[in-house]
Amino acid sequence: MSTTRVQRFGAHGPVGAINQIVILESLPDGERKTGRLLWEDLEPMILPYGIHLQLHYKTAGSATEFEALLRDLWAFVDIDHRAPWLQIECHGGREGLQFADGSIMPWSDLKPLLMAINHASRMNLFLVLACCHGGWFATECRYDEQVPFAWMLGPGDAIRPTPLYSLMANFWGTALKVRDVTVALTAAGAAVPHVSYISFSAVGVFRTALAARIRARIGTPGANLRDEEPLFDQYRMKYFALDEFPENASRFGITYAEVLEQVRRNGTAAF
């Protein structure tokens, strides 16, 4: 069986501003608690960081409790300004998350909560959706809305607990040593070669979505693609909240000209 991995412009590089790891878990009784196991693994790994890296583990029994935990995290980040690396451990599908009691949170309900946390962290939220189809959350992003993460990772398909835990353990073990998600993801993928995943940076999602818009306009008779450039600048400003956080302009560097050139080079194919 082939393994599908999507990492379009997903190489984020150094972790940078992250100074707290938050694991939120909601799994039924009797199931292996991979989030708790990961928390136990990470405790000794973060010791060299001292006060510069906190580790938190919390559980929720339902979608309502999970939303409350996310709102608590939002409030904490808004006050303390500790940029979080958020790991969510639960069940999932292509439409959203499923919690211990069977309740559901659609991606559309999760998105504004993560938007708020990302905004409070000055666009520094790293997100890992450790659940079946977790990578599908990327499809919920829109280029005309604020992005809900700086970088994200999630399985592309259904996945069993053991290979998912192995992927995460290898990923985190490397990430905490080198503080580089690209290196960590490469190491984890090599250790568990049969696992499918989706990894996107915020720039990657924006670039892919805008490319799709440009490709659609190419097929419109008489379309002047250069008319799109002012709109592109408006979308970029809103998507990355650059009016509030201008210091991020170089970090989220992307121009209309380079996306247009990429689309023209690849024709109508996705890139």
Side-chain angles (χ1 to χ4, degrees), residues 57-86:
Y57 168 75
K58 296 182 181 296
T59 61
S62 66
T64 300
E65 291 180 9
F66 180 78
E67 178 177 344
L69 290 178
L70 286 182
R71 291 188 180 278
D72 286 346
L73 177 59
W74 172 19
F76 179 75
V77 173
D78 197 39
I79 294 171
D80 192 70
H81 304 299
R82 284 184 173 266
W85 193 324
L86 175 61

Side-chain angles (χ1 to χ4, degrees), residues 92-97 104-109 132-133 136-137 140:
R94 293 186 178 184
E95 305 300 324
L97 304 177
I104 302 293
M105 177 177 285
W107 297 137
S108 57
D109 290 346
C132 292
H133 306 287
W136 283 75
F137 178 63
E140 189 65 29

Side-chain angles (χ1 to χ4, degrees), residues 35-72:
R36 187 182 63 213
L37 291 172
L38 183 63
W39 171 56
E40 293 170 353
D41 288 343
L42 294 182
E43 277 193 307
M45 293 184 191
I46 68 165
L47 291 177
Y49 292 93
I51 63 172
H52 301 294
L53 185 61
Q54 297 180 353
L55 176 64
H56 306 280
Y57 168 75
K58 296 182 181 296
T59 61
S62 66
T64 300
E65 291 180 9
F66 180 78
E67 178 177 344
L69 290 178
L70 286 182
R71 291 188 180 278
D72 286 346

Side-chain angles (χ1 to χ4, degrees), residues 143 210-229 231 256 260 263:
Y143 58 76
L210 262 295
R213 179 186 173 95
I214 292 171
R215 285 195 297 273
R217 288 220 59 197
I218 287 176
T220 304
N224 183 354
L225 296 180
R226 281 297 177 184
D227 290 345
E228 290 281 301
E229 193 157 6
L231 283 174
Y256 182 78
L260 178 59
V263 171

